[in-house]
Amino acid sequence: MPSPGADGDEITSWALAAKDGDRSAAAAFIRATQHDVHRFVSHLVGPGEAEDLTQETYLRAMRALPRFAARSKALTWLLAIARRACADHIRMTMRRPRVAALPDWQLAADAELARDAAGFAGAVELSRLLEDLPRDRREAFVATQVVGLSYAEAAEVCDCPVGTIRSRVARAREDLVAAMRADGNPRDLRSTS
């Protein structure tokens, strides 16, 4: 769901105005979407790479803006770009040898502490659980349950049919519930959003 203060139609109108060269509309578009893009990217690749990939998403989006035809909401279009940026990043990192780095849990902890966020333990737990999901299920779950996109919008972002999104989300919930039960935490994920 769009950031507070802006709805999907308003964000799309800013994107269209930015396409026509309106710099203040471009700034409003970025401000209204940056939280959702960062959160989406963070859940796909981890908080350690989220800042850079959020910036990469906006660089790609600004280059692609002249071709934006508003066939979908601008946030949906933007999250599809973010998904491709994450996929490209994952492919690139798979090709190069890994050097010793901070563990993912440490990066998540550092990111949460830096933001001084409430619910730190829950965020770390969710990140850990989502990390264990297959990528296609994680993308569908994050798009619909964390970012708040409709199933149709998530299908567009993930480039697959709506029914596939529904089944991926259902399977992701089953996987998450099973993982939480295995950890001794029977919290209900049906209300996750």
Side-chain angles (χ1 to χ4, degrees), residues 37-38 41-57 85-86 89-90 92-93 96 98 101-104 107-108 111 115 131:
V37 170
H38 186 273
V41 167
S42 180
H43 284 295
L44 294 183
V45 297
E49 291 101 354
E51 293 293 328
D52 289 341
L53 285 169
T54 298
Q55 288 180 14
E56 175 65 21
T57 296
C86 290
H89 172 75
I90 290 167
M92 185 179 69
T93 56
R96 48 181 151 127
R98 287 195 70 121
L102 290 175
D104 288 343
L107 293 172
R115 280 190 227 113
E131 185 178 282

Side-chain angles (χ1 to χ4, degrees), residues 7 71 79 112 115 168:
D7 65 21
R71 287 187 291 268
L79 291 177
E112 288 299 326
R115 280 190 227 113
R168 287 177 182 173

Side-chain angles (χ1 to χ4, degrees), residues 9 12 21 28 30 61 70 73-74 76 85-86 89 108 117 146 151 163 171 184:
D9 293 335
T12 300
I30 292 169
K73 291 182 181 177
T76 303
C86 290
H89 172 75
V146 177
Y151 284 101
R171 287 187 184 118

Side-chain angles (χ1 to χ4, degrees), residues 10 12 17 29 48 50 58 64 84 90 92 97 107 126 142 160 163 170 187:
E10 188 174 23
T12 300
F29 170 68
Y58 284 106
R84 287 189 298 275
I90 290 167
M92 185 179 69
L107 293 172
L126 178 62
V142 169
C160 65
R187 196 174 100 212

